[in-house]
Amino acid sequence: QVQLVESGGGLVQPGGSLRLSCTPSGMIFSINAMGWYRQAPGKQRELVARITSGSSKNYADSVKGRFTISRDYAKNTVYLQMDNLKPEDTAIYYCNANVRSSSSSIRARDYWGQGTQVTVSS
């Protein structure tokens, strides 16, 4: 029904920056919250940042002051600007969107991107 296309991952040195992008496609009536999650080897998936349709934002404590989430409402695209990256930021990053596919949908549901690898290493 809905696919989330991610881009922007890669390999950077500590202190470097990356910007992740996520664009939904498919049957979309409206999108509520969008966000980024990450999962490092041997660890649970965790919320990194989230932005609602009203532009309220939430960040994990570990990324506050370093990461910035934003949303292009015309493109339904969400971005994650990551600055001052640290080795502990290394993980697979997943885009998430809460989507109502049509006006007849009973409720919105969550969709996930395929994940993009972010590696921070010297």
Side-chain angles (χ1 to χ4, degrees), residues 40-57:
K43 297 184 178 180
Q44 300 181 65
R45 183 177 298 188
E46 64 174 348
L47 174 68
V48 178
R50 179 180 62 198
I51 183 168
T52 70
S53 60
S55 297
S56 296
K57 301 175 182 179

Side-chain angles (χ1 to χ4, degrees), residues 53-76:
S53 60
S55 297
S56 296
K57 301 175 182 179
N58 293 96
Y59 296 95
D61 289 340
S62 60
V63 307
K64 287 181 179 178
R66 299 189 298 118
F67 291 9
T68 304
I69 190 169
S70 61
R71 183 171 173 177
D72 184 328
Y73 290 92
K75 298 180 179 179
N76 283 330

Side-chain angles (χ1 to χ4, degrees), residues 81-107:
Q81 178 67 43
M82 303 185 292
D83 296 319
N84 192 24
L85 284 160
K86 303 176 180 180
E88 49 264 44
D89 294 318
T90 296
I92 300 175
Y93 284 70
Y94 298 90
C95 180
N96 169 265
N98 188 247
V99 179
R100 189 178 181 186
S101 296
S102 70
S103 61
S104 62
S105 297
I106 299 176
R107 59 175 291 175

